[in-house]
Amino acid sequence: MQSRRGLLSGVKVLDLSRVLAGPYCAMMLADMGADVLKIELPGKGDDSRSNYPIVGGESAYYMNLNRNKRGMTLNLKSEKGKEIFRELVKKSDIIIENYRPGVMEKLGLGYEELKKINPSIIYGSISGFGHYGPYSKRAGYDIIGQAMSGLMSTTGWPGGEATRTGTAIADVMAGLSCCVGVLAAYINRLKTGEGEKVDVALVDSMVSSLEIINIIYLCTGKVPNRIGNRYEAIYPYDSFKAQDGSLVIGAGNDKLFSLLCDVMGTPELLEDDRFSCNNERVLNHAELKPIIEEWLKDKKIDETVEALLAVGIPAAPINTIDRVVADPHIAGAREMFVEIDHPKAGKLKMTGNQIKLTNHKIDTFTHAPILGEHTVEILQKELGFTKEEIDKLIEEKVL
């Protein structure tokens, strides 16, 4: 595997995490150049290795989240496996794990134990509810984070069922939050030499992301409910049906609404008390939306978006994914889809990295490791094991 380069070159990360939130965090670190070693259960590996879709016998779900990492197997329930892990900790900067709180402690590998052998270690932990509080021992999955945080109660259409977002946004937000936390802790370590435990919960991450939803209740006592694609604070800021699909319009202030009225040829709306200012438009959104959709009924989304953008009104088509991956800006200029050559799955497209760096471009993507791909390399080159010792560990099912 070629050496990684980037802003985090030289930073060594042990990734014990599985499925999505933890691997996403470690993937971000790896994309930016950290040497991320993914440690998996011998024989089985990360649960997501069996997740849909499967390409060439390998999970594309797994391959997307674990690119740019090295991989080894290690049985952390065995004493020899724990010894090897502790030796790796001595040589590492950051640990990422997303076990249920208490699991690592039962193994004797919790933060309090590991900092005894490496006081400057940064220990990033992601769980459903965090490492303290009455719910801390509960299992945490994305759908639970979305439900418990209140997000699902506000997602969907009026009168409809509470709705999970189309992607595992609680997992992604927790992964990003942990990435920010461990990097902040690493910066502090560079200044002070001090290690840190970063405790991130899926539910907390989603509660933080709800911003205006929380504030509406805290400031007014009103419980926000499902409002479709409309925004609580401004209008028109919504989705609208056109002839061949739907688009969004974000007329976020009075000036933009005036411009929209010009494009629509409806200057009289500016004199209508129901729509005279943003606050009134929010209160009377149900009357304004059908007026806009009547104007759009014989118009095509792409042409309309171009016309709105031409006068400075924020607008966009509601893209299906096939449109996204063909978009000249997103897929082209911004390189949000990259090709990776996998030894089993062959060449395939993966999602690129959203962070664009001027002086350290993230443009090198290596395949996710085959289960245990770098085990021998790690043990021999970094820990000094002989071939005979490794063969014995394999026989004892430590590896």
Side-chain angles (χ1 to χ4, degrees):
M1 180 176 181
Q2 66 189 87
S3 60
R4 300 286 300 133
R5 59 185 178 83
L7 287 177
L8 298 181
S9 293
V11 177
K12 291 186 173 294
V13 180
L14 297 179
D15 179 14
L16 294 173
S17 62
R18 303 100 59 227
V19 191
L20 207 168
Y24 189 94
C25 172
M27 177 197 76
M28 295 293 291
L29 299 173
D31 284 357
M32 290 186 283
D35 178 9
V36 177
L37 174 59
K38 186 175 180 74
I39 298 176
E40 300 180 70
L41 186 69
K44 179 185 178 185
D46 187 326
D47 289 345
S48 70
R49 283 186 177 274
S50 62
N51 284 10
Y52 175 87
I54 303 298
V55 180
E58 296 288 313
S59 166
Y61 183 111
Y62 175 90
M63 289 188 282
N64 186 52
L65 291 166
N66 293 284
R67 79 276 185 107
N68 292 332
K69 303 176 185 180
R70 294 189 293 165
M72 72 176 291
T73 57
L74 194 60
N75 182 358
L76 294 179
K77 292 184 177 180
S78 70
E79 285 306 314
K80 288 184 179 178
K82 291 176 184 178
E83 289 174 15
I84 292 171
F85 180 69
R86 292 188 184 101
E87 289 303 310
L88 290 169
V89 170
K90 291 178 184 178
K91 299 172 178 286
S92 299
D93 301 296
I94 297 169
I95 297 170
I96 304 295
E97 60 93 355
N98 60 351
Y99 289 103
R100 194 182 303 197
V103 170
M104 290 292 283
E105 286 74 15
K106 284 182 181 178
L107 292 171
L109 301 174
Y111 174 64
E112 294 300 324
E113 291 302 313
L114 296 181
K115 75 176 184 179
K116 293 175 183 177
I117 62 175
N118 185 348
S120 64
I121 195 72
I122 307 299
Y123 186 100
S125 178
I126 301 173
S127 59
F129 296 88
H131 277 235
Y132 58 86
Y135 302 158
S136 63
K137 294 298 190 291
R138 291 187 185 184
Y141 289 89
D142 172 79
I143 199 168
I144 291 172
Q146 293 198 34
M148 288 288 287
S149 66
L151 175 66
M152 283 179 64
S153 75
T154 63
T155 304
W157 295 93
E161 290 294 316
T163 304
R164 175 186 170 276
T165 63
T167 189
I169 195 66
D171 276 329
V172 171
M173 284 299 298
L176 286 171
S177 299
C178 188
C179 187
V180 171
V182 298
L183 289 176
Y186 183 73
I187 291 170
N188 181 65
R189 194 186 86 171
L190 294 177
K191 295 186 291 185
T192 67
E194 179 185 14
E196 182 65 87
K197 178 180 177 180
V198 179
D199 172 12
V200 171
L202 268 68
V203 173
D204 295 350
S205 299
M206 286 315 304
V207 169
S208 174
S209 77
L210 290 181
E211 42 92 28
I212 188 62
I213 299 298
N214 299 330
I215 300 306
I216 287 170
Y217 175 73
L218 293 171
C219 292
T220 71
K222 173 190 171 186
V223 177
N225 211 316
R226 292 175 289 285
I227 58 172
N229 292 327
R230 182 169 63 84
Y231 192 41
E232 292 270 18
I234 51 180
Y235 205 84
Y237 195 97
D238 202 347
S239 63
F240 301 91
K241 292 179 181 178
Q243 184 189 74
D244 60 342
S246 294
L247 68 153
V248 294
I249 300 173
N253 56 44
D254 291 342
K255 178 183 177 182
L256 289 171
F257 181 64
S258 177
L259 290 171
L260 178 61
C261 290
D262 289 343
V263 174
M264 291 170 58
T266 55
E268 68 276 8
L269 295 181
L270 298 173
E271 306 302 322
D272 192 318
D273 290 343
R274 297 173 299 170
F275 315 131
S276 59
C277 67
N278 178 66
N279 193 62
E280 292 303 319
R281 292 193 295 275
V282 170
L283 295 174
N284 295 289
H285 64 88
E287 288 81 12
L288 182 53
K289 184 166 186 173
I291 294 173
I292 297 173
E293 291 194 323
E294 175 65 21
W295 169 68
L296 286 168
K297 69 180 183 180
D298 59 353
K299 292 179 170 55
K300 295 187 175 181
I301 55 174
D302 288 333
E303 295 170 2
T304 305
V305 166
E306 289 301 320
L308 293 172
L309 293 175
V311 297
I313 301 170
I318 297 181
N319 280 337
T320 49
I321 301 303
D322 57 317
R323 286 172 58 103
V324 177
V325 299
D327 187 277
H329 177 87
I330 300 169
R334 301 297 289 182
E335 300 176 294
M336 282 307 301
F337 301 96
V338 296
E339 187 174 84
I340 294 178
D341 192 2
H342 191 278
K344 286 190 175 181
K347 292 185 183 297
L348 67 163
K349 285 285 185 77
M350 293 286 165
T351 308
N353 192 287
Q354 71 272 39
I355 297 174
K356 307 304 179 184
L357 300 168
T358 299
N359 299 320
H360 295 81
K361 186 178 179 182
I362 300 172
D363 59 1
T364 303
F365 292 88
T366 57
H367 71 267
I370 305 298
L371 184 60
E373 182 174 347
H374 304 97
T375 301
V376 173
E377 173 190 312
I378 297 295
L379 293 178
Q380 287 182 333
K381 293 184 179 180
E382 299 188 22
L383 298 182
F385 280 67
T386 65
K387 183 181 183 302
E388 291 72 22
E389 289 173 323
I390 293 171
D391 288 342
K392 187 176 180 183
L393 291 171
I394 293 173
E395 184 180 330
E396 294 172 349
K397 300 189 185 307
V398 176
L399 311 176

